[in-house]
Amino acid sequence: MTNIIVAEEDKLRSIVQEEVSKLFSAKQEVKVEIDTLTLTKTLALLSEYGYPMSKAKLYKLTASGNIPCRKFGQKLVFSRKDILSWAESQTKPKDNSAEITLTLARSARRKR
């Protein structure tokens, strides 16, 4: 026999929402982000993160082995994580001590 549930409209609505959300959450697929990039996508990624580079420069860096990449047949393949960490390692932190030293030297020359 079927059980009869007596409930207010709000309570019934919340029960239905919970059951529907359980069904949809069980069937949702997990999106996996692909880590590999082609040459053109690597250039776009670097440009997006503020490291613009030409195609020729990227080819030179891969030929000299200065940038992390792999070959798949005749194609170059890059890892998103490796490229971003490489780009971050290429930047130098702003060092104000050299600028301060130059400013002090100029000031000392003017006072002579």
Side-chain angles (χ1 to χ4, degrees):
M1 227 199 240
T2 307
N3 294 337
I4 297 175
I5 300 173
V6 178
E8 294 178 7
E9 183 180 342
D10 293 335
K11 180 69 175 169
L12 183 61
R13 188 169 292 172
S14 67
I15 292 171
V16 170
Q17 281 181 336
E18 286 176 22
E19 293 303 316
V20 170
S21 65
K22 285 180 189 176
L23 287 173
F24 279 112
S25 66
K27 292 184 178 182
Q28 277 185 334
E29 293 181 21
V30 177
K31 282 190 174 181
V32 177
E33 188 174 324
I34 297 173
D35 188 47
T36 56
L37 301 169
T38 62
L39 186 88
T40 54
K41 287 183 181 180
T42 302
L43 289 171
L45 178 74
L46 287 170
S47 180
E48 179 183 326
Y49 279 90
Y51 307 107
M53 187 181 299
S54 69
K55 196 182 246 187
K57 173 82 173 179
L58 189 56
Y59 273 124
K60 284 181 185 178
L61 289 170
T62 58
S64 64
N66 291 333
I67 193 166
C69 71
R70 295 181 187 91
K71 280 189 105 177
F72 183 74
Q74 294 295 320
K75 303 269 183 186
L76 288 172
V77 181
F78 301 88
S79 167
R80 176 186 305 269
K81 186 179 83 174
D82 291 345
I83 290 296
L84 290 177
S85 64
W86 172 84
E88 191 64 34
S89 71
Q90 298 302 305
T91 59
K92 296 177 184 171
K94 187 174 180 181
D95 186 17
N96 288 339
S97 63
E99 189 176 321
I100 292 170
T101 305
L102 286 173
T103 305
L104 287 172
R106 287 185 197 125
S107 176
R109 276 188 244 140
R110 275 187 261 144
K111 290 181 181 178
R112 285 187 186 178

